[in-house]
Amino acid sequence: MEVFAISDWHLSINCPKPMDIFGGAWENYIEELTKNLNATLHDDSILLIAGDISWAMQLNEALPDLDFIANFKGKKIILRGNHDYWWKSISGVRNSLKVGVYALQNDSIKIGNVVIAGSRGWVFPENENDKENQTIFDREVIRLKLSLEDANKKRGIGDKLIVMTHYPPFASGKTTAMTDVIANAKADVVVYGHIHGKHHKTSAVIKINDIPYYLTSCDFLKNMPLKII
């Protein structure tokens, strides 16, 4: 079993949105992403998509994008990103997914000897006066704890634990309450997205508490899924 990750697809199948206005990396990216996924994935593959899946505002508008994901081989695990406004009720989302696509929210999924948990996360507060972001960040820490508690119930000896977040769980490479929760859960790998553009200072992989954290935004990966396991 192989596990791959690539996030931030920003799909808009029924109402195409010109992503190339955000830079050359987005030119014809859907075609390139499709080609690379078809060449990489097999029936026993796992693909992690850590948020920003669709530009849709309502679930019914996102269905063509979710169906597009379902058409790829293997099992696809999706997580809500900050642009996924269509993702409101988890039951509604799950009832709309085709076979082979799974949505994470406050829980986890075990496939073979791999357990996957996660939470959207949030921007880390810049200072102690940033009360609004602190409140949301703290809420996401609680949600991640719930997800990891569920994962711990499913995790057996020798199982790998992968944590997905949309926002980076750290702050400028430093630990946060979220990275502490991940360390306490003894995660093996963390994947996240959200960060775009060639001018950011984040490395492809950093280690926090001896756990590798992989940036998986599709423009950063040049539309090539990253092999995690």
Side-chain angles (χ1 to χ4, degrees):
M1 181 188 299
E2 295 178 318
V3 181
F4 300 89
I6 188 163
S7 65
D8 298 79
W9 294 21
H10 292 286
L11 296 173
S12 187
I13 300 298
N14 268 9
C15 186
K17 182 169 181 172
M19 288 294 292
D20 55 359
I21 63 174
F22 298 109
W26 296 96
E27 186 173 351
N28 298 319
Y29 82 103
I30 293 296
E31 292 82 356
E32 188 174 350
L33 179 62
T34 300
K35 178 186 70 174
N36 291 336
L37 288 170
N38 284 334
T40 301
L41 299 177
H42 302 282
D43 290 338
D44 61 348
S45 299
I46 298 174
L47 180 65
L48 310 178
I49 307 173
D52 279 5
I53 297 158
S54 170
W55 284 113
M57 298 299 292
Q58 302 297 330
L59 179 57
N60 65 309
E61 298 169 350
L63 294 181
D65 301 328
L66 296 173
D67 290 348
F68 175 76
I69 291 172
N71 287 331
F72 292 105
K73 291 182 178 180
K75 295 178 172 62
K76 286 74 60 176
I77 316 300
I78 62 174
L79 182 81
R80 185 181 182 185
N82 60 303
H83 285 297
D84 292 316
Y85 299 110
W86 53 273
W87 187 313
K88 297 178 174 67
S89 160
I90 184 59
S91 60
V93 171
R94 286 175 173 161
N95 289 336
S96 300
L97 298 177
K98 290 187 174 179
V99 173
V101 185
Y102 306 87
L104 282 182
Q105 184 169 307
N106 300 341
D107 56 6
S108 63
I109 180 170
K110 181 174 180 176
I111 303 172
N113 65 341
V114 176
V115 183
I116 304 149
S119 173
R120 178 189 61 178
W122 195 251
V123 60
F124 188 73
E126 294 184 1
N127 55 65
E128 61 183 13
N129 295 319
D130 190 0
K131 302 297 185 183
E132 182 176 358
N133 281 326
Q134 185 69 61
T135 298
I136 301 174
F137 184 86
D138 291 344
R139 187 184 306 143
E140 288 297 315
V141 171
I142 293 172
R143 289 172 174 165
L144 181 59
K145 284 181 179 179
L146 291 173
S147 183
L148 287 167
E149 286 171 3
D150 186 67
N152 186 54
K153 297 174 184 176
K154 299 172 182 174
R155 190 180 188 184
I157 296 174
D159 289 344
K160 297 288 187 180
L161 175 59
I162 301 176
V163 175
M164 296 171 63
T165 65
H166 178 63
Y167 286 88
F170 51 85
S172 301
K174 298 179 180 179
T175 60
T176 65
M178 193 161 281
T179 60
D180 291 343
V181 169
I182 292 169
N184 289 337
K186 295 180 172 57
D188 293 286
V189 179
V190 178
V191 299
Y192 67 96
H194 184 66
I195 297 176
H196 300 289
K198 60 184 179 181
H199 300 299
H200 66 77
K201 299 179 181 179
T202 303
S203 301
V205 57
I206 65 171
K207 277 198 170 185
I208 300 176
N209 297 315
D210 290 324
I211 300 170
Y213 284 63
Y214 292 96
L215 172 58
T216 64
S217 303
C218 66
D219 58 326
F220 180 79
L221 295 179
K222 298 181 180 178
N223 304 309
M224 178 62 70
L226 178 67
K227 187 176 180 179
I228 302 299
I229 297 177

